[in-house]
Amino acid sequence: MSLGPVMLDIAGTQLSDDDVRRLRHPRTGGVILFSRNYANHYQLAELTQQIHAVRNPRLLIAVDHEGGRVQRFQDDFTRLPAMRELGKIWDRQPTRARHLAQQVGFVLAAELNACGVDFSFTPVLDLDYGQSSVIGDRAFHPDPHVVSSLAHNLIIGLKKGGMVAVGKHFPGHGYIQADSHLEIAVDTREYADIAMKDLVPFQSLIDDGLAGIMPAHVIYEAIDCKPAGFSSLWLQRILRAELQFDGCIFSDDLSMRGAGEYLPSMCLRAESALNAGCDMILVCNNPDGADDILAGLKWEMSALSLARLARMHARNIFGSMTKLRENGDYVQAIREISIIGCESEDLPLA
């Protein structure tokens, strides 16, 4: 049985009968974990082992684990800084900021890898325009070239930790104030303005071999009336053809309000996102919606999509969290990260 195009969530710290039923469905291809799925690193490692054992080829396991206020696993994990803190260090010491970005990426990936998580949806490549209610300190910097450099170095660290990267939120979510989790988000800028700024980090990291990209549930009304994650213009003509991206495209959560107003049926949302060019779609915190999609979606994975998804599996080069903590490079990275000492802003959790 090959992987399907649906990534969904599970209820708790162990697999329930309903979880197993959904994970065995041929349309399922992955699992996204949340804080409710985590008690400690021993439990997490056991859970990921159970998930990987459900299917062959094994299901992908992902998480939103960026640092700052978006870090799903905290106890037993290193508290990672918000990416804006690296941008602040860049303004004073660019060389040190690049080094710390690598160390953050290494620790992030190594800890997840040692617990059986395949990848995190990171880095955030949005620009910090100082006005977004949901991006905020998740962004590295206002300057697209600084974002490119810091994200490039963070990805070097991820690779050292055995993990690929997924950049988000294409083509850029930082300009608007609206939170697409909660409301319809519209960006009124012309394409030239977006291309000169927001697209720069995506193009730079695509050229470096970025493995995955997540589009935004934002309508860029001067370009297309559909949100980017449902737009073949954005995903196929611009991302694939013009920017030459050949990695995996993951939809953002189809249960978000920014997606819901466009297509009210979950199955229609899934079909629309896949037809637009997504390789895998996310359905989070919506078990009824997940069941509707699994029951009604008619979709055959292409060989190209399957090959892209196959590249997303982590290389488990540490064996366990206990063994990782004996690694000298990891211990040194922890020391360096600990002195960043950032305090995240009091903004809503993504």
Side-chain angles (χ1 to χ4, degrees), residues 223-243:
I223 296 92
D224 196 349
C225 62
K226 300 176 182 177
F230 298 97
S231 168
S232 59
L233 193 159
W234 276 113
L235 300 186
Q236 297 186 43
R237 188 185 305 178
I238 297 174
L239 184 56
R240 293 289 191 205
E242 294 185 15
L243 302 187

Side-chain angles (χ1 to χ4, degrees), residues 192-213:
D193 294 329
I194 297 169
M196 285 191 302
K197 296 179 181 178
D198 300 65
L199 286 185
V200 170
F202 290 98
Q203 179 68 82
S204 175
L205 295 175
I206 287 168
D207 292 343
D208 289 342
L210 186 65
I213 282 179

Side-chain angles (χ1 to χ4, degrees), residues 129 131-134 171-190 194 198 216-228 234 256-259 261-262:
Y129 285 93
Q131 59 196 27
S132 173
S133 62
V134 67
H173 199 319
Y175 183 77
I176 58 170
Q177 186 174 8
D179 179 353
S180 57
H181 295 82
L182 306 174
E183 56 190 311
I184 301 301
V186 179
D187 190 324
T188 60
R189 292 176 297 165
E190 298 294 328
I194 297 169
D198 300 65
H217 284 326
V218 174
I219 299 170
Y220 303 86
E221 61 181 11
I223 296 92
D224 196 349
C225 62
K226 300 176 182 177
W234 276 113
M256 288 166 54
R257 183 72 183 275
E261 295 295 321
Y262 170 61

